[in-house]
Amino acid sequence: MGGSLAGLLTAHVLAGYADRVSIVERDRFPDGTGARPGVPHGRHPHVLLQGGQVAMESLLPGFLPELRAAGAPKVGMPSDMVLWQNGRWFRRSPATTHIYTGSRAQLEALVRRRVLAHPAVSVVEGTDAVGLLGDASRVRGVLLRDRADGVGAEHRALEADLVVDASGSGTKAPQWLTAIGAEPPQEEIIDTGLAYASRVYRGRKGVLDGETVGYFVYPGPDQVHGGGALPLEDGSHLVIVSGLRGDEPPTDDDEFETYTKRLAHPLLDRWIEEAEPLTPAFGYRRTANVRRRYDLPGRHPAGFIATGDALCTFNPIYGQGMAIAAMSAVALRDALAERRRTPTTRRVQQRVLAASTLAWDISAGADRKMPGAVGTAVADGPADRVAGWYLGRVTERSPGDPVVGRAFRSVLTLSAPVTALFAPPVLRAVLFRPPGPTPTEPPTTPEEPGH
C-alpha cells in the first residue's frame, strides 16, 4: 500500500521472492518528474544522505551515477555549504561526506522507472486502500476502492500472502487492524510544532558566489528559526524557512520573504532580494516524530508489516526520510535472505524497525530539547540526560574541530553508528579540548586541504 519511495523499494525487494507484487497507489503516476498530490511534502527540500546512498546503490546498482547524470547536485559537507548552528559558523574544511539535494520528484521518478520495469511488479493506480482482509491471526489482503467512483463506491478485495503498509505518515492501518480484531501498535510521539515553508528561486550567481552551492541555518533551542537554500537539478535553489508552533512561516509570497529576516544572519535575506522567485510559497505543518511499535508483543497478525513513514516518521528538518526508506528495504531484503531461520512477520518487522533506530535517536533526541515539545515520548531519563550532555559538547565542537565534525557528520548522515562519536580521538577532543576557533563571518570560500 503506497507507491512512494518506501513502497517502490519494498516492491523491488519482494519481487525477488513473490510471483506477483501489486503496488496500490491512490494517485496516478505522472509521466515525468512532476509532483504528486499524495506527496504533500514533495515541493519541499529533500536530501539523500550518505547512508541512503549506500542502501540505494545496493538495491539498484548503478542508481547513483544515473542520479548524477540526471543533474542532481552532489554537495560536499561541509566544504560546499555555508552552515550556521548554535551561534557559530562552520569551518568549510574538506568534505567528508556528500548529500544529493535534487528534487524529490526527480529521484522518485528514477526509482519508479527502475522498479516498474520488473515483470513481477504491477501498479493499481488511482485506488484507495480502505481496509484489511483477515482476522487477528493473519492479514489476507486489502479492500480497495476506485477513487474516481467516490466515497460510496463499491469495495473490491485484493487477496495477498503479505500486505506491506507503505502508505506514509497518514496511515489508517492501526484503525484497520482494530477492525479485524487485532491490536493497533503503541505510538511514540514527539512534536515540536515545527512548521516550514518553501519557495524556488533562481539567483544570479548561486547562493553566495561560485564556490558556494548552499546555505543553511540549523534551528535549536536558543535559535528556533531555521532556513537556507539548497541547489536543485535545474540550477535553481529551493529556499526553506522554519519556525515553531504559534510562529509558523507564512505562505503569502511577500510575508515569506519578510520571514527570512528572523534568521540569525541576513545572508539568505540579502540573496533573496536579488533572486527571481519561480514558484509561490508552499507550507507544511505535519512534522511530528511518530514511531509505531509493531515489533512489541501483542495481537499483531501475521502477513502484515509496516515500513517507511507508516512505521516511523521523522521531523523532516533532519532530512532522514528517503535514506530510511532505502535502508529499511535493505533490512527487509537481508531478513528474507536469512537461511538459518524462517523470516516470521514479527522478526522481519523488528529488523525493518531497527533500520530506523539511529535516525529516531537523532531526530527524537534533538526535538526533546526544543521549547514547547509535546507527546508521549518527550520525557527523558538519566541515561538520556548524560547522552544529551555529551552530544551537546559534540555539537559545540563540530563546527571548528575537523575530527569531531567528521565523526558527527558520519552519524548524522546515517553512514556510521553512534559509537563513532566515542572513538578515542573524538572522545579526547570532546572531553578535554575546548571548542576550536570558527569563522566570525560567513565563510565565502572552502578551506584548502591541510589547513
Side-chain angles (χ1 to χ4, degrees):
M1 298 183 291
S4 291
L5 202 59
L8 289 167
L9 294 175
T10 298
H12 174 73
V13 170
L14 294 177
Y17 295 88
D19 296 325
R20 185 182 65 198
V21 180
S22 300
I23 300 174
V24 177
E25 170 53 45
R26 68 191 305 271
D27 288 338
R28 293 196 175 278
F29 290 129
D31 293 332
T33 60
R36 294 191 291 114
V39 188
H41 54 295
R43 300 179 185 275
H44 301 281
H46 282 74
V47 298
L48 184 61
L49 303 177
Q50 190 85 39
Q53 295 169 36
V54 173
M56 196 77 79
E57 189 67 18
S58 173
L59 293 164
L60 304 172
F63 179 79
L64 293 181
E66 185 178 359
L67 183 64
R68 188 73 175 131
K74 184 180 181 181
V75 178
M77 301 289 282
S79 59
D80 293 343
M81 296 276 289
V82 171
L83 303 169
W84 184 98
Q85 187 174 28
N86 294 334
R88 310 183 78 200
W89 297 104
F90 280 64
R91 288 177 53 185
R92 292 179 63 179
S93 51
T96 61
T97 188
H98 292 80
I99 60 175
Y100 283 91
T101 65
S103 67
R104 161 69 179 260
Q106 182 199 56
L107 186 144
E108 190 174 292
L110 292 174
V111 172
R112 187 166 59 240
R113 183 178 63 80
R114 292 280 296 269
V115 171
L116 298 188
H118 197 291
V121 178
S122 62
V123 181
V124 184
E125 297 180 79
T127 302
D128 285 321
V130 295
L132 298 173
L133 301 173
D135 51 37
S137 64
R138 186 171 191 86
V139 169
R140 303 182 186 281
V142 292
L143 286 171
L144 305 180
R145 178 184 64 206
D146 289 337
R147 301 198 79 214
D149 295 338
V151 175
E154 183 178 348
H155 298 170
R156 70 182 191 274
L158 176 60
E159 295 184 353
D161 297 301
L162 174 67
V163 173
V164 180
D165 181 13
S167 60
S169 59
T171 176
K172 299 294 191 299
Q175 298 94 300
W176 298 342
L177 288 166
T178 301
I180 62 172
E183 287 185 38
Q186 297 180 30
E187 290 189 350
E188 300 169 344
I189 302 172
I190 301 175
D191 185 3
T192 66
L194 180 135
Y196 54 87
S198 304
R199 193 180 187 191
V200 178
Y201 287 82
R202 188 178 300 279
R204 295 180 181 176
K205 54 177 182 178
V207 174
L208 294 178
D209 54 42
E211 296 185 86
T212 300
V213 301
Y215 168 63
F216 211 85
V217 169
Y218 293 100
D222 299 323
Q223 166 33 49
V224 298
H225 296 101
L230 294 174
L232 295 175
E233 59 269 17
D234 63 355
S236 63
H237 283 80
L238 188 50
V239 173
I240 181 175
V241 287
S242 67
L244 297 185
R245 188 183 296 108
D247 188 22
E248 297 87 350
T251 54
D252 175 86
D253 292 344
D254 292 336
E255 292 179 6
F256 174 89
E257 297 193 355
T258 300
Y259 197 90
T260 63
K261 300 180 186 297
R262 304 190 187 196
L263 299 186
H265 191 278
L267 186 61
L268 180 64
D269 178 54
R270 291 172 182 168
W271 179 75
I272 284 178
E273 288 180 354
E274 298 183 354
E276 174 192 5
L278 302 182
T279 69
F282 295 94
Y284 194 69
R285 302 290 183 264
R286 296 175 58 180
T287 62
N289 303 280
V290 181
R291 183 160 63 170
R292 299 177 177 89
R293 300 304 301 271
Y294 290 103
D295 59 306
L296 298 178
R299 290 197 319 277
H300 302 314
F304 175 89
I305 63 172
T307 191
D309 283 355
L311 177 63
C312 198
T313 307
F314 311 96
N315 185 336
I317 205 72
Y318 303 107
Q320 301 164 320
M322 295 198 304
I324 291 302
M327 294 168 72
S328 297
V330 169
L332 173 64
R333 180 195 65 187
D334 293 347
L336 295 178
E338 282 193 357
R339 296 180 180 273
R340 293 180 293 117
R341 52 186 179 177
T342 302
T344 64
T345 299
R346 185 181 176 196
R347 191 175 296 134
V348 171
Q349 186 67 86
Q350 289 172 332
R351 292 282 294 274
V352 173
L353 182 69
S356 65
T357 298
L358 176 58
W360 174 266
D361 290 344
I362 292 169
S363 183
D367 278 4
R368 283 192 184 100
K369 301 181 181 66
M370 295 297 287
V374 297
T376 61
V378 170
D380 54 9
D384 295 315
R385 288 190 285 274
V386 172
W389 172 83
Y390 185 84
L391 288 175
R393 294 179 68 87
V394 171
T395 303
E396 190 179 20
R397 284 154 179 75
S398 61
D401 189 317
V403 172
V404 178
R406 181 188 187 101
F408 198 32
R409 282 187 294 276
S410 71
V411 174
L412 293 179
T413 58
L414 309 177
S415 56
V418 72
T419 52
L421 300 180
F422 298 93
V426 180
L427 193 68
R428 286 193 294 269
V430 170
L431 294 181
F432 304 116
R433 289 207 300 264
T438 55
T440 57
E441 292 294 326
T444 58
T445 58
E447 294 180 7
E448 294 293 331
H451 285 213

